[in-house]
Amino acid sequence: MRYVTFSRPDDRTQRCGALIGGRVIDIGALASSVAGGYAVASLRDLIEQGSGAWNWVRDLVAGAAERDEAPGYPVDSVALCAPLPRLRRNVFCVARNYGASEGAAPMFFTKATGTICGPTDDVEWDRQVTGQVDWEIELGIVIGQSGKDIPAARVSEFIFGYTVLNDLTARDLQRHHGQFFKGKSLDSFCPIGPCIVTSDEFGDPLSKAISLRVNGVTKQHDYTRSMITPPDALIESLSSGMTLLPGDLIATGSPPGTGQSRTPPEWLQDGDIVEGEIEGIGVIRNRMIVR
Ligand code: MG
């Protein structure tokens, strides 16, 4: 399944949907038409209701689509929002997870929840606040089931799905404050989307091409198999002694080619178009606005 959060042009209410064959199926409307089923107020709500609800929705959507009875809209006629617009907790992130391994344990940090924005939303900042905004394309993992001390071999049971994520970073703030949090946490600095692809449909998370373009020029291109610590070991490490919850979002690190690593360094400018793409998920495309 490819889950989205969408709104219609005539109604800004955010709804949970499924992308099937160029259409967005309105899961909330479909679910409410069935007596005795699950109510689906949002994608987060669906994730938190657990695998019984996911399986019920999957079968319901598949059946309605097959009979051509599913309430829905052409994908071009709706706005795709961040699939999880309001996280309950910060985005969990890992630094330096591509390139040469230094043999160290994963370095975890977080981004504030206010960073989340949609796959085509503008990213805005004030030039008084930062002048060194950088890109970091990353594979995002959405947790489906609560877990603590999850062994690597069982990690797949706890994953709901995958999304594209840009871990935008104000490098000057990151340095100035001596810690990652502030430079990573400006409003709109974490575009995600365009959908969440469930684990069964996504397949091996280590087999995917991952890339980022600025104004059509490729800046990052790699494969997820280049991760130093792959998702199963990352989640084993992160969940050790610390409970992960349904709807938690984990950013798995960015391949080489960020702006700060270039000579001379490159920073995003007003009007730049940044596109992040991961094979099997899709493209997020955000315009940079400097006020
Ligand atoms: Mg990052």
PDB file of all heavy atoms in Angstrom, residues 93-97 109 111 135-138 165-169 171 180 184 251-255 258, ligand 1:
ATOM      1  N   CYS A  93      17.007  10.925  14.329  1.00  0.00           N
ATOM      2  CA  CYS A  93      17.938  11.010  13.200  1.00  0.00           C
ATOM      3  C   CYS A  93      19.270  10.365  13.560  1.00  0.00           C
ATOM      4  O   CYS A  93      19.624  10.247  14.737  1.00  0.00           O
ATOM      5  CB  CYS A  93      18.216  12.467  12.852  1.00  0.00           C
ATOM      6  SG  CYS A  93      16.746  13.457  12.535  1.00  0.00           S
ATOM      7  N   VAL A  94      20.010  10.014  12.508  1.00  0.00           N
ATOM      8  CA  VAL A  94      21.371   9.507  12.720  1.00  0.00           C
ATOM      9  C   VAL A  94      22.308  10.280  11.809  1.00  0.00           C
ATOM     10  O   VAL A  94      21.979  10.584  10.662  1.00  0.00           O
ATOM     11  CB  VAL A  94      21.432   7.978  12.477  1.00  0.00           C
ATOM     12  CG1 VAL A  94      21.027   7.618  11.070  1.00  0.00           C
ATOM     13  CG2 VAL A  94      22.834   7.454  12.777  1.00  0.00           C
ATOM     14  N   ALA A  95      23.469  10.634  12.344  1.00  0.00           N
ATOM     15  CA  ALA A  95      24.462  11.402  11.588  1.00  0.00           C
ATOM     16  C   ALA A  95      25.477  10.450  10.961  1.00  0.00           C
ATOM     17  O   ALA A  95      25.696   9.338  11.462  1.00  0.00           O
ATOM     18  CB  ALA A  95      25.173  12.389  12.507  1.00  0.00           C
ATOM     19  N   ARG A  96      26.090  10.873   9.870  1.00  0.00           N
ATOM     20  CA  ARG A  96      27.247  10.191   9.263  1.00  0.00           C
ATOM     21  C   ARG A  96      26.986   8.706   9.040  1.00  0.00           C
ATOM     22  O   ARG A  96      27.737   7.857   9.523  1.00  0.00           O
ATOM     23  CB  ARG A  96      28.488  10.362  10.154  1.00  0.00           C
ATOM     24  CG  ARG A  96      28.819  11.817  10.377  1.00  0.00           C
ATOM     25  CD  ARG A  96      30.015  12.008  11.284  1.00  0.00           C
ATOM     26  NE  ARG A  96      30.079  13.393  11.735  1.00  0.00           N
ATOM     27  CZ  ARG A  96      30.195  13.766  13.013  1.00  0.00           C
ATOM     28  NH1 ARG A  96      30.307  12.866  13.973  1.00  0.00           N
ATOM     29  NH2 ARG A  96      30.235  15.040  13.324  1.00  0.00           N
ATOM     30  N   ASN A  97      25.918   8.402   8.306  1.00  0.00           N
ATOM     31  CA  ASN A  97      25.601   6.977   8.112  1.00  0.00           C
ATOM     32  C   ASN A  97      25.899   6.481   6.697  1.00  0.00           C
ATOM     33  O   ASN A  97      25.481   5.389   6.334  1.00  0.00           O
ATOM     34  CB  ASN A  97      24.137   6.711   8.486  1.00  0.00           C
ATOM     35  CG  ASN A  97      23.906   5.257   8.811  1.00  0.00           C
ATOM     36  OD1 ASN A  97      24.822   4.554   9.248  1.00  0.00           O
ATOM     37  ND2 ASN A  97      22.694   4.769   8.576  1.00  0.00           N
ATOM     38  N   PHE A 109      20.458  12.001  17.014  1.00  0.00           N
ATOM     39  CA  PHE A 109      20.011  13.329  17.443  1.00  0.00           C
ATOM     40  C   PHE A 109      18.554  13.458  17.007  1.00  0.00           C
ATOM     41  O   PHE A 109      18.000  12.512  16.436  1.00  0.00           O
ATOM     42  CB  PHE A 109      20.879  14.440  16.823  1.00  0.00           C
ATOM     43  CG  PHE A 109      20.811  14.507  15.324  1.00  0.00           C
ATOM     44  CD1 PHE A 109      19.930  15.376  14.681  1.00  0.00           C
ATOM     45  CD2 PHE A 109      21.622  13.698  14.543  1.00  0.00           C
ATOM     46  CE1 PHE A 109      19.867  15.447  13.299  1.00  0.00           C
ATOM     47  CE2 PHE A 109      21.562  13.748  13.152  1.00  0.00           C
ATOM     48  CZ  PHE A 109      20.677  14.627  12.534  1.00  0.00           C
ATOM     49  N   LYS A 111      15.140  16.112  15.487  1.00  0.00           N
ATOM     50  CA  LYS A 111      14.605  17.346  14.913  1.00  0.00           C
ATOM     51  C   LYS A 111      13.246  17.600  15.565  1.00  0.00           C
ATOM     52  O   LYS A 111      12.460  16.674  15.756  1.00  0.00           O
ATOM     53  CB  LYS A 111      14.378  17.183  13.403  1.00  0.00           C
ATOM     54  CG  LYS A 111      15.634  17.138  12.569  1.00  0.00           C
ATOM     55  CD  LYS A 111      15.322  16.721  11.136  1.00  0.00           C
ATOM     56  CE  LYS A 111      14.909  17.853  10.214  1.00  0.00           C
ATOM     57  NZ  LYS A 111      16.023  18.704   9.777  1.00  0.00           N
ATOM     58  N   TRP A 135      21.186  20.688   2.307  1.00  0.00           N
ATOM     59  CA  TRP A 135      20.260  19.592   2.036  1.00  0.00           C
ATOM     60  C   TRP A 135      20.824  18.263   2.548  1.00  0.00           C
ATOM     61  O   TRP A 135      22.046  18.088   2.611  1.00  0.00           O
ATOM     62  CB  TRP A 135      20.033  19.485   0.526  1.00  0.00           C
ATOM     63  CG  TRP A 135      21.317  19.356  -0.252  1.00  0.00           C
ATOM     64  CD1 TRP A 135      22.020  18.202  -0.490  1.00  0.00           C
ATOM     65  CD2 TRP A 135      22.063  20.405  -0.870  1.00  0.00           C
ATOM     66  NE1 TRP A 135      23.151  18.485  -1.229  1.00  0.00           N
ATOM     67  CE2 TRP A 135      23.200  19.834  -1.473  1.00  0.00           C
ATOM     68  CE3 TRP A 135      21.880  21.793  -0.981  1.00  0.00           C
ATOM     69  CZ2 TRP A 135      24.151  20.582  -2.171  1.00  0.00           C
ATOM     70  CZ3 TRP A 135      22.821  22.537  -1.675  1.00  0.00           C
ATOM     71  CH2 TRP A 135      23.937  21.925  -2.259  1.00  0.00           C
ATOM     72  N   GLU A 136      19.944  17.316   2.878  1.00  0.00           N
ATOM     73  CA  GLU A 136      20.358  15.943   3.224  1.00  0.00           C
ATOM     74  C   GLU A 136      19.201  15.004   2.883  1.00  0.00           C
ATOM     75  O   GLU A 136      18.256  14.863   3.659  1.00  0.00           O
ATOM     76  CB  GLU A 136      20.678  15.798   4.727  1.00  0.00           C
ATOM     77  CG  GLU A 136      21.900  16.569   5.197  1.00  0.00           C
ATOM     78  CD  GLU A 136      22.288  16.250   6.638  1.00  0.00           C
ATOM     79  OE1 GLU A 136      21.637  15.381   7.264  1.00  0.00           O
ATOM     80  OE2 GLU A 136      23.240  16.873   7.140  1.00  0.00           O
ATOM     81  N   ILE A 137      19.272  14.348   1.732  1.00  0.00           N
ATOM     82  CA  ILE A 137      18.230  13.382   1.370  1.00  0.00           C
ATOM     83  C   ILE A 137      18.400  12.120   2.228  1.00  0.00           C
ATOM     84  O   ILE A 137      19.514  11.642   2.435  1.00  0.00           O
ATOM     85  CB  ILE A 137      18.303  13.035  -0.131  1.00  0.00           C
ATOM     86  CG1 ILE A 137      17.196  12.059  -0.531  1.00  0.00           C
ATOM     87  CG2 ILE A 137      19.645  12.453  -0.516  1.00  0.00           C
ATOM     88  CD1 ILE A 137      15.827  12.616  -0.456  1.00  0.00           C
ATOM     89  N   GLU A 138      17.263  11.593   2.747  1.00  0.00           N
ATOM     90  CA  GLU A 138      17.353  10.419   3.622  1.00  0.00           C
ATOM     91  C   GLU A 138      16.127   9.516   3.453  1.00  0.00           C
ATOM     92  O   GLU A 138      15.025   9.982   3.169  1.00  0.00           O
ATOM     93  CB  GLU A 138      17.445  10.850   5.098  1.00  0.00           C
ATOM     94  CG  GLU A 138      18.531  11.901   5.299  1.00  0.00           C
ATOM     95  CD  GLU A 138      19.017  12.063   6.718  1.00  0.00           C
ATOM     96  OE1 GLU A 138      18.633  11.256   7.588  1.00  0.00           O
ATOM     97  OE2 GLU A 138      19.800  13.008   6.946  1.00  0.00           O
ATOM     98  N   LEU A 165      12.618  11.814   2.893  1.00  0.00           N
ATOM     99  CA  LEU A 165      12.774  12.854   3.910  1.00  0.00           C
ATOM    100  C   LEU A 165      13.997  13.709   3.563  1.00  0.00           C
ATOM    101  O   LEU A 165      15.027  13.175   3.163  1.00  0.00           O
ATOM    102  CB  LEU A 165      12.956  12.136   5.249  1.00  0.00           C
ATOM    103  CG  LEU A 165      13.141  12.883   6.554  1.00  0.00           C
ATOM    104  CD1 LEU A 165      12.691  11.972   7.704  1.00  0.00           C
ATOM    105  CD2 LEU A 165      14.571  13.325   6.783  1.00  0.00           C
ATOM    106  N   ASN A 166      13.865  15.020   3.694  1.00  0.00           N
ATOM    107  CA  ASN A 166      15.012  15.912   3.518  1.00  0.00           C
ATOM    108  C   ASN A 166      15.344  16.542   4.873  1.00  0.00           C
ATOM    109  O   ASN A 166      14.576  17.348   5.393  1.00  0.00           O
ATOM    110  CB  ASN A 166      14.698  16.993   2.467  1.00  0.00           C
ATOM    111  CG  ASN A 166      15.918  17.818   2.093  1.00  0.00           C
ATOM    112  OD1 ASN A 166      16.981  17.696   2.707  1.00  0.00           O
ATOM    113  ND2 ASN A 166      15.767  18.660   1.083  1.00  0.00           N
ATOM    114  N   ASP A 167      16.485  16.149   5.437  1.00  0.00           N
ATOM    115  CA  ASP A 167      16.931  16.643   6.750  1.00  0.00           C
ATOM    116  C   ASP A 167      17.653  17.982   6.550  1.00  0.00           C
ATOM    117  O   ASP A 167      18.876  18.065   6.661  1.00  0.00           O
ATOM    118  CB  ASP A 167      17.841  15.586   7.395  1.00  0.00           C
ATOM    119  CG  ASP A 167      18.462  16.058   8.692  1.00  0.00           C
ATOM    120  OD1 ASP A 167      17.956  17.010   9.294  1.00  0.00           O
ATOM    121  OD2 ASP A 167      19.475  15.441   9.116  1.00  0.00           O
ATOM    122  N   LEU A 168      16.852  19.022   6.234  1.00  0.00           N
ATOM    123  CA  LEU A 168      17.453  20.346   5.996  1.00  0.00           C
ATOM    124  C   LEU A 168      18.124  20.857   7.272  1.00  0.00           C
ATOM    125  O   LEU A 168      17.632  20.615   8.388  1.00  0.00           O
ATOM    126  CB  LEU A 168      16.379  21.323   5.511  1.00  0.00           C
ATOM    127  CG  LEU A 168      15.913  21.048   4.069  1.00  0.00           C
ATOM    128  CD1 LEU A 168      14.557  21.685   3.801  1.00  0.00           C
ATOM    129  CD2 LEU A 168      16.949  21.535   3.055  1.00  0.00           C
ATOM    130  N   THR A 169      19.246  21.543   7.077  1.00  0.00           N
ATOM    131  CA  THR A 169      20.103  21.893   8.210  1.00  0.00           C
ATOM    132  C   THR A 169      20.704  23.284   8.027  1.00  0.00           C
ATOM    133  O   THR A 169      21.254  23.583   6.970  1.00  0.00           O
ATOM    134  CB  THR A 169      21.267  20.878   8.309  1.00  0.00           C
ATOM    135  OG1 THR A 169      20.732  19.553   8.373  1.00  0.00           O
ATOM    136  CG2 THR A 169      22.122  21.139   9.540  1.00  0.00           C
ATOM    137  N   ARG A 171      23.677  25.097   8.794  1.00  0.00           N
ATOM    138  CA  ARG A 171      25.018  24.709   9.270  1.00  0.00           C
ATOM    139  C   ARG A 171      25.603  25.730  10.231  1.00  0.00           C
ATOM    140  O   ARG A 171      26.314  25.366  11.173  1.00  0.00           O
ATOM    141  CB  ARG A 171      25.970  24.538   8.080  1.00  0.00           C
ATOM    142  CG  ARG A 171      25.568  23.461   7.088  1.00  0.00           C
ATOM    143  CD  ARG A 171      25.642  22.073   7.677  1.00  0.00           C
ATOM    144  NE  ARG A 171      25.262  21.073   6.669  1.00  0.00           N
ATOM    145  CZ  ARG A 171      24.836  19.852   6.957  1.00  0.00           C
ATOM    146  NH1 ARG A 171      24.725  19.455   8.212  1.00  0.00           N
ATOM    147  NH2 ARG A 171      24.500  19.012   5.993  1.00  0.00           N
ATOM    148  N   PHE A 180      23.543  19.649  17.461  1.00  0.00           N
ATOM    149  CA  PHE A 180      22.772  19.577  16.216  1.00  0.00           C
ATOM    150  C   PHE A 180      21.367  20.171  16.302  1.00  0.00           C
ATOM    151  O   PHE A 180      20.837  20.649  15.310  1.00  0.00           O
ATOM    152  CB  PHE A 180      22.606  18.106  15.791  1.00  0.00           C
ATOM    153  CG  PHE A 180      23.835  17.516  15.162  1.00  0.00           C
ATOM    154  CD1 PHE A 180      25.092  18.070  15.333  1.00  0.00           C
ATOM    155  CD2 PHE A 180      23.733  16.378  14.381  1.00  0.00           C
ATOM    156  CE1 PHE A 180      26.207  17.509  14.753  1.00  0.00           C
ATOM    157  CE2 PHE A 180      24.835  15.814  13.786  1.00  0.00           C
ATOM    158  CZ  PHE A 180      26.083  16.379  13.972  1.00  0.00           C
ATOM    159  N   LYS A 184      18.954  21.966  13.128  1.00  0.00           N
ATOM    160  CA  LYS A 184      18.150  20.960  12.427  1.00  0.00           C
ATOM    161  C   LYS A 184      16.653  21.217  12.574  1.00  0.00           C
ATOM    162  O   LYS A 184      15.855  20.500  11.979  1.00  0.00           O
ATOM    163  CB  LYS A 184      18.432  19.566  13.016  1.00  0.00           C
ATOM    164  CG  LYS A 184      19.871  19.075  12.835  1.00  0.00           C
ATOM    165  CD  LYS A 184      20.067  18.523  11.441  1.00  0.00           C
ATOM    166  CE  LYS A 184      21.423  17.842  11.282  1.00  0.00           C
ATOM    167  NZ  LYS A 184      21.587  17.296   9.921  1.00  0.00           N
ATOM    168  N   ALA A 251      15.007   9.049  10.617  1.00  0.00           N
ATOM    169  CA  ALA A 251      15.772   9.447   9.431  1.00  0.00           C
ATOM    170  C   ALA A 251      17.108   8.695   9.470  1.00  0.00           C
ATOM    171  O   ALA A 251      17.804   8.724  10.484  1.00  0.00           O
ATOM    172  CB  ALA A 251      15.995  10.953   9.432  1.00  0.00           C
ATOM    173  N   THR A 252      17.440   8.029   8.376  1.00  0.00           N
ATOM    174  CA  THR A 252      18.526   7.035   8.421  1.00  0.00           C
ATOM    175  C   THR A 252      19.874   7.545   7.906  1.00  0.00           C
ATOM    176  O   THR A 252      20.783   6.762   7.680  1.00  0.00           O
ATOM    177  CB  THR A 252      18.124   5.782   7.620  1.00  0.00           C
ATOM    178  OG1 THR A 252      17.774   6.180   6.290  1.00  0.00           O
ATOM    179  CG2 THR A 252      16.943   5.078   8.256  1.00  0.00           C
ATOM    180  N   GLY A 253      20.011   8.852   7.748  1.00  0.00           N
ATOM    181  CA  GLY A 253      21.291   9.414   7.342  1.00  0.00           C
ATOM    182  C   GLY A 253      21.353   9.680   5.849  1.00  0.00           C
ATOM    183  O   GLY A 253      20.567   9.151   5.075  1.00  0.00           O
ATOM    184  N   SER A 254      22.305  10.537   5.465  1.00  0.00           N
ATOM    185  CA  SER A 254      22.343  11.060   4.100  1.00  0.00           C
ATOM    186  C   SER A 254      23.638  10.688   3.387  1.00  0.00           C
ATOM    187  O   SER A 254      24.715  10.728   3.980  1.00  0.00           O
ATOM    188  CB  SER A 254      22.220  12.593   4.163  1.00  0.00           C
ATOM    189  OG  SER A 254      21.875  13.119   2.915  1.00  0.00           O
ATOM    190  N   PRO A 255      23.529  10.333   2.094  1.00  0.00           N
ATOM    191  CA  PRO A 255      24.733   9.993   1.338  1.00  0.00           C
ATOM    192  C   PRO A 255      25.631  11.212   1.097  1.00  0.00           C
ATOM    193  O   PRO A 255      25.225  12.346   1.356  1.00  0.00           O
ATOM    194  CB  PRO A 255      24.184   9.457   0.004  1.00  0.00           C
ATOM    195  CG  PRO A 255      22.738   9.720  -0.017  1.00  0.00           C
ATOM    196  CD  PRO A 255      22.294  10.185   1.323  1.00  0.00           C
ATOM    197  N   THR A 258      26.467  16.639   0.280  1.00  0.00           N
ATOM    198  CA  THR A 258      25.798  17.797   0.879  1.00  0.00           C
ATOM    199  C   THR A 258      26.550  19.068   0.502  1.00  0.00           C
ATOM    200  O   THR A 258      27.705  19.030   0.064  1.00  0.00           O
ATOM    201  CB  THR A 258      25.759  17.668   2.420  1.00  0.00           C
ATOM    202  OG1 THR A 258      27.096  17.545   2.898  1.00  0.00           O
ATOM    203  CG2 THR A 258      24.944  16.455   2.843  1.00  0.00           C
TER     204      THR A 258
HETATM  205 MG    MG B   1      20.787  13.971   8.358  1.00  0.00          MG
END
